[in-house]
Amino acid sequence: MERVINDKPRLEYIDCLKGFAIFLMVMGHFLSWTFAEGSNATGPAVFVRTLIYSFHMPLFFFLSGYLVDKKNREWTISYCFKLAKKRFVSLVIPGLSFMALLYFRRNFWYFEWFLEVLFEIYIIFMFVQFVRYRYLPKSLFFDIAVQIVAAAVLLVFERNCPSMFAKFFSITRLAHFYPYFAFGFLFCKMGLNDCVLKKNFVITNFHLFTIERKQP
């Protein structure tokens, strides 16, 4: 469903997923803080924490990719610069503010890796989309192909770049999470969300049943 807030349409299922992902992030950190450092804890709490950490960050990047081109923009230089400026304000400036606050409070530097990696992903994605729209035919095949190539190049680069460079720019995380962002973009581009939203899938006793949503 879609609702309007301050003249801007909001997708309720996206907001719900974002809220769910934030809840999982808080829960995962809470469970981590309950264990003594270096302990070999076991039990249900460890299982839940491991389960949460297996997908909650990929979900964040997937949702960001899902929303990046919801309006099918033309990836011109002007639009890329506009989006880069917008993401700099929403990601880098809060990260720098938190880093400065942390330095004054605890006297050490730390830039939140999630904000850094997401900003880097946006920059790389914008470059890929600019090249794709300028030099390649507009088709779903090339949308998929260029994202696969971009993910592969990042993986190769991550395995061959200098360690200090990789650490400073979080290249390992960049290479790991870019495919989730790209998959979110392609998921929306291929219209797979329509298939999911029109039907509920319930698994019971290893059988898959499809329950049609009632149309108002």
Side-chain angles (χ1 to χ4, degrees):
M1 294 181 64
E2 188 177 275
R3 55 196 175 95
V4 178
I5 298 179
N6 296 329
D7 297 327
K8 294 183 179 181
R10 303 286 302 184
L11 298 174
E12 289 187 346
Y13 60 92
I14 295 295
D15 290 338
C16 289
L17 283 173
K18 286 182 178 178
F20 179 61
I22 292 172
F23 169 77
L24 292 178
M25 179 186 66
V26 175
M27 179 61 69
H29 282 83
F30 172 77
L31 292 174
S32 296
W33 294 335
T34 60
F35 307 133
E37 186 176 352
S39 65
N40 295 320
T42 58
V46 177
F47 171 78
V48 173
R49 183 193 64 175
T50 303
L51 179 63
I52 290 173
Y53 272 72
S54 68
F55 74 92
H56 81 295
M57 292 310 298
L59 178 59
F60 273 116
F61 287 98
F62 173 86
L63 292 175
S64 297
Y66 179 86
L67 295 172
V68 70
D69 194 28
K70 200 80 172 61
K71 296 182 180 180
N72 294 313
R73 302 278 190 179
E74 290 290 332
W75 291 86
T76 61
I77 292 180
S78 60
Y79 177 68
C80 288
F81 273 105
K82 180 181 178 181
L83 183 58
K85 179 181 178 181
K86 183 178 180 180
R87 291 296 168 252
F88 183 86
V89 171
S90 63
L91 297 173
V92 177
I93 290 181
L96 291 174
S97 301
F98 175 76
M99 184 175 67
L101 179 63
L102 194 62
Y103 178 76
F104 286 116
R105 290 288 298 245
R106 299 192 177 183
N107 199 30
F108 74 94
W109 299 102
Y110 174 73
F111 192 95
E112 178 56 50
W113 73 264
F114 170 74
L115 299 178
E116 176 188 14
V117 171
L118 185 56
F119 180 72
E120 292 172 351
I121 286 177
Y122 271 111
I123 296 301
I124 293 172
F125 180 84
M126 284 186 286
F127 174 77
V128 171
Q129 287 298 96
F130 171 75
V131 172
R132 177 254 180 279
Y133 270 81
R134 183 160 185 170
Y135 299 106
L136 297 174
K138 295 181 180 180
S139 70
L140 182 60
F141 171 80
F142 285 102
D143 280 326
I144 297 173
V146 296
Q147 294 305 325
I148 292 176
V149 171
V153 169
L154 283 174
L155 182 61
V156 173
F157 179 72
E158 182 266 330
R159 295 190 176 186
N160 294 277
C161 71
S163 58
M164 288 297 296
F165 183 87
K167 183 178 181 181
F168 185 80
F169 289 101
S170 299
I171 300 299
T172 298
R173 283 170 169 155
L174 173 63
H176 176 75
F177 287 111
Y178 185 89
Y180 295 108
F181 186 95
F183 179 61
F185 161 71
L186 294 173
F187 189 90
C188 180
K189 203 74 173 177
M190 292 186 288
L192 297 179
N193 53 311
D194 294 332
C195 298
V196 175
L197 292 174
K198 288 179 181 178
K199 298 183 179 183
N200 285 330
F201 296 99
V202 181
I203 300 177
T204 306
N205 296 326
F206 302 102
H207 294 284
L208 182 66
F209 296 92
T210 303
I211 304 176
E212 296 287 347
R213 286 186 181 273
K214 294 182 179 180
Q215 298 296 329

